Amino acid sequence: MVGSLIELKAASYRYPSGKKAIAEVDLSLPEGKKIALLGANGAGKSTLLLLLNGIYKPTNGELHYRGKQYRYNRKALQELRQKVGIVFQESDNQLIAPSVYEEVAFGLNNLYSDKKWIREQVEKYLDYFDLLELKHHSPHQLSSGQKKRICLASVLAMEPELIICDEPASNLDPQSSRATFELLDAQNKKGKTLLISTHNVNQAYVWADLVILLKEGAVLSIGSPKQVFSDAETLAEAGLEQPLLVKLARMHQPGMEAEELPENEAELVNRLTKNLCTDL
Amino acid sequence: MWITEIYKHDHRLSKLSPTIRALYWAPAMVLTLVSGSVYFNFTMFLVINLFLLYVSRIRLSNLARLYRIPIVFILVGCMAIVLEIPATKAFVSLGKLSIGFSAHGIQLATLLVSRSLALISIMYFMLLTNTISEIAELMRKFRIPALLIDLFVITFKFIENLRNTGFEMHRAQKCRLGYSQKMKRIPLFAGLMAAVFHQSMQNARQLETAMQARCAGENYCFLQEERPYAISQLLIPVGLASMSAFLLLICGNYGW
Ligand SMILES: Nc1ncnc2c1ncn2[C@@H]1O[C@H](COP(=O)(O)OP(=O)(O)O)[C@@H](O)[C@H]1O
Ligand SMILES: [Mg+2]
């Protein structure tokens, strides 16, 4: 049994405008997993992610990190934000430095004072993210895919335990999107917990270990992708559809149990061809 | 046209540390400030622009465009100095009012124009060979109060943000065939300005959030790549500075 990294206990958040974006959410995020936060536009995904990083303070309820309650003083927040890294949806609203090098060094420079170590760390991450050649460029003049890589590098260089990405694949082409997910998965292999918000059910279905379904700031259902996505009604209530794989499998075999759903495309094709062979 | 759009990160001084780079422009600035010689100022203006074209690798047309706005301002300012009413040597008279140029005014205005142009070119030299964070770092080294530095950086960032937002929105309006009828331009423009301000405030807020998420303190602190110092790097700037000082001495000596 893996311990939980972050726990939300009856946490609510109301924007100053009066809009209640998160309502009484009870949630526990297990360590070392790939977690997908699903919801339609405006479901409160981004707000929830910002709560986890301590940017917003819940209007009601508590947040716990490794069993300890969040404290919203300066020092505790510094610590928390080092451990919980967040990559925003719009790269343009995250990039601030005039050069890629300074962008990647930004978080580290705020946290630590050993300049020599910071420089080594920056070089390491620039190299890892294949950004060495771009290090003097202005981030604003690069492509979306490159911008996303810079944002990732800048957050991952701080070596957080929980990596949060708000809609990482939005406005990326398939190839950049795949590259982003490969980089994230590599971090997961190193033991980091990933939390990603998305409305792409197909991607979440094959990628995630755990899926959280959000609607109007409340958790609608939570569980393994197969459990959550086998329930078409709840998905429809959240304003989402079933993944294509689930639809196809159900078309083929209407009463299929959640646990029997195929994990990926290859499995589905295998089953179909097998059936075809036996039928013949 | 905004500096950061044409800034080339691989300009010819990019291997030098910002402090050494400052030796290229700071002496010129001091000399221009103390000089009372029109010839010296114009020479500086010319030399600096030629040097800037070489160093910053930007195109002449882009550089020329940068001067458009300051030149308009300077010329308008100078008109007030040059004109004399009633004039001793009038070239136009409206009724009893005679309008002309005053000799003293013209002298003053040329000095003013030459000095402003030289100083502006030096400022562009600084801005086109340093990023905003390098300038901030330099200011920090010279013990300029942190508050002023932050103000400078924030202002710069905000203008940039405002410009980008404005540019994108203007393009979006144009794509939807705005601005094609003359009479509709002004209300469209007013709407644009309102939307731009709203949007850029929002952008600024999100930037701020993203910085907080990476533990930003109260100061905008960036860590630049380390650039090695060497005595030999001093040769060119010191040479250039002494040549300019010599020129200023000559100009002063002959009373040009
Ligand atoms: N700064 C804000 N002020 C007021 N309301 C907001 C703000 N940001 C988001 N909201 C509202 O909170 C709700 C959740 O938004 P958000 O978390 O951005 O959703 P998602 O990321 O799932 O699309 C939306 O109804 C949105 O209108
Ligand atoms: Mg969002």
Side-chain angles (χ1 to χ4, degrees):
Chain A
M1 176 71 204
V2 270
S4 64
L5 195 64
I6 285 192
E7 271 177 287
L8 277 76
K9 296 189 175 168
S12 308
Y13 183 76
R14 192 187 283 280
Y15 275 104
S17 68
K19 165 93 194 172
K20 192 160 190 173
I22 297 293
E24 308 270 314
V25 168
D26 278 300
L27 198 61
S28 147
L29 306 180
E31 195 177 353
K33 290 277 192 288
K34 299 195 277 192
I35 309 165
L37 186 62
L38 251 96
N41 290 334
K45 302 179 297 282
S46 305
T47 314
L48 185 67
L49 299 182
L50 286 170
L51 272 176
L52 296 179
N53 182 269
I55 294 283
Y56 293 155
K57 188 175 172 181
T59 26
N60 282 309
E62 290 176 3
L63 269 72
H64 291 243
Y65 190 83
R66 288 193 186 283
K68 272 204 293 195
Q69 194 182 339
Y70 274 35
R71 301 165 63 82
Y72 289 84
N73 61 38
R74 230 183 93 81
K75 191 158 164 286
L77 277 181
Q78 288 276 82
E79 248 179 68
L80 182 76
R81 287 175 186 164
Q82 187 266 315
K83 294 198 173 114
V84 181
I86 177 163
V87 180
F88 290 83
Q89 180 174 1
E90 295 286 336
S91 305
D92 277 318
N93 289 336
Q94 175 165 359
L95 299 166
I96 31 152
S99 72
V100 173
Y101 186 96
E102 289 161 78
E103 186 68 43
V104 175
F106 182 74
L108 290 169
N109 195 33
N110 289 327
L111 276 172
Y112 308 105
S113 53
D114 182 355
K115 295 270 189 295
K116 190 160 163 284
W117 180 80
I118 296 178
R119 290 214 160 86
E120 282 166 13
Q121 189 82 348
V122 172
E123 291 287 336
K124 192 170 105 189
Y125 276 86
L126 283 174
D127 187 27
Y128 184 75
F129 282 85
D130 208 11
L131 291 168
L132 272 178
E133 263 163 36
L134 299 176
K135 69 178 171 184
H136 297 300
H137 281 254
S138 160
H140 295 282
Q141 290 162 357
L142 300 173
S143 76
S144 306
Q146 288 166 327
K147 282 182 190 169
K148 197 50 132 200
R149 275 217 313 269
I150 298 166
C151 290
L152 274 174
S154 147
V155 169
L156 294 189
M158 292 158 73
E159 307 203 323
E161 293 174 340
L162 170 65
I163 301 165
I164 297 179
C165 282
D166 198 357
E167 315 216 2
S170 70
N171 71 42
L172 290 187
D173 61 48
Q175 201 179 352
S176 312
S177 163
R178 177 142 31 83
T180 308
F181 273 93
E182 273 165 16
L183 286 167
L184 287 171
D185 286 348
Q187 293 294 318
N188 180 249
K189 295 239 164 60
K190 289 184 195 164
K192 314 246 157 148
T193 314
L194 300 180
L195 174 61
I196 281 170
S197 83
T198 177
H199 51 249
N200 185 341
V201 286
N202 290 311
Q203 178 142 43
Y205 180 72
V206 292
W207 179 81
D209 298 326
L210 181 74
V211 174
I212 302 166
L213 199 59
L214 214 60
K215 189 209 173 187
E216 287 170 8
V219 176
L220 216 52
S221 82
I222 176 167
S224 73
K226 287 182 188 177
Q227 283 167 355
V228 173
F229 289 122
S230 67
D231 186 355
E233 270 171 36
T234 321
L235 277 171
E237 200 189 327
L240 297 170
E241 284 198 344
Q242 280 191 311
L244 192 59
L245 273 177
V246 177
K247 277 193 207 161
L248 290 176
R250 283 271 163 86
M251 246 181 214
H252 176 60
Q253 220 178 325
M256 190 184 267
E257 289 295 311
E259 290 311 310
E260 290 169 7
L261 288 170
E263 290 209 348
N264 47 35
E265 291 138 13
E267 199 179 324
L268 180 68
V269 172
N270 260 343
R271 281 190 209 173
L272 291 179
T273 43
K274 217 181 268 170
N275 268 4
L276 206 59
C277 291
T278 46
D279 283 356
L280 284 174
Chain B
M1 180 77 45
W2 178 241
I3 304 265
T4 46
E5 277 166 51
I6 54 171
Y7 179 85
K8 291 245 182 2
H9 61 88
D10 59 346
H11 62 79
R12 287 179 216 268
L13 298 184
S14 59
K15 295 276 184 307
L16 303 177
S17 89
T19 324
I20 306 270
R21 275 182 231 166
L23 291 180
Y24 281 85
W25 54 264
M29 195 176 243
V30 174
L31 289 177
T32 317
L33 278 173
V34 299
S35 117
S37 153
V38 175
Y39 290 96
F40 176 78
N41 291 345
F42 276 126
T43 319
M44 277 315 254
F45 174 67
L46 204 70
V47 171
I48 284 172
N49 279 305
L50 289 177
F51 195 53
L52 181 57
L53 280 176
Y54 170 75
V55 163
S56 69
R57 297 177 199 264
I58 67 171
R59 273 184 293 152
L60 178 61
S61 59
N62 280 343
L63 184 62
R65 246 185 282 174
L66 275 184
Y67 280 104
R68 272 190 318 198
I69 294 173
I71 282 187
V72 169
F73 273 104
I74 294 171
L75 288 186
V76 169
C78 281
M79 283 318 262
I81 300 174
V82 170
L83 287 183
E84 192 184 38
I85 308 168
T88 36
K89 276 190 290 175
F91 68 92
V92 137
S93 40
L94 298 169
K96 282 205 180 111
L97 216 57
S98 56
I99 301 174
F101 294 138
S102 77
H104 178 68
I106 289 177
Q107 215 177 20
L108 195 66
T110 20
L111 183 62
L112 195 77
V113 169
S114 69
R115 183 179 286 176
S116 333
L117 282 180
L119 283 173
I120 289 170
S121 65
I122 293 167
M123 207 179 73
Y124 281 150
F125 186 89
M126 176 181 92
L127 289 173
L128 286 168
T129 52
N130 291 283
T131 62
I132 181 74
S133 60
E134 282 164 347
I135 296 172
E137 189 57 39
L138 203 65
M139 287 161 93
R140 214 161 275 139
K141 263 188 196 149
F142 283 100
R143 302 259 176 279
I144 290 174
L147 185 70
L148 290 182
I149 304 178
D150 284 348
L151 209 61
F152 170 70
V153 176
I154 292 170
T155 314
F156 195 89
K157 282 270 153 205
F158 197 75
I159 295 175
E160 194 178 350
N161 181 347
L162 211 60
R163 256 197 57 93
N164 285 342
T165 322
F167 177 74
E168 272 166 27
M169 288 198 168
H170 183 240
R171 193 170 49 189
Q173 281 191 341
K174 250 187 173 163
C175 290
R176 285 173 287 165
L177 299 179
Y179 299 100
S180 49
Q181 290 158 288
K182 277 224 162 60
M183 287 316 288
K184 282 195 181 155
R185 278 189 179 188
I186 290 173
L188 249 185
F189 185 71
L192 174 71
M193 284 322 281
V196 162
F197 265 102
H198 184 78
Q199 187 60 42
S200 40
M201 285 309 284
Q202 228 155 26
N203 287 351
R205 194 157 343 122
Q206 288 185 5
L207 263 179
E208 166 82 23
T209 307
M211 288 171 62
Q212 272 179 20
R214 281 177 290 164
C215 309
E218 46 264 11
N219 293 331
Y220 290 80
C221 248
F222 294 106
L223 182 74
Q224 281 114 30
E225 205 183 10
E226 217 165 13
R227 293 188 176 82
Y229 288 94
I231 295 289
S232 59
Q233 290 169 346
L234 295 178
L235 243 49
I236 302 175
V238 169
L240 286 174
S242 28
M243 250 148 62
S244 334
F246 188 60
L247 180 67
L248 182 60
L249 276 179
I250 295 177
C251 287
N253 198 21
Y254 287 94
W256 287 340

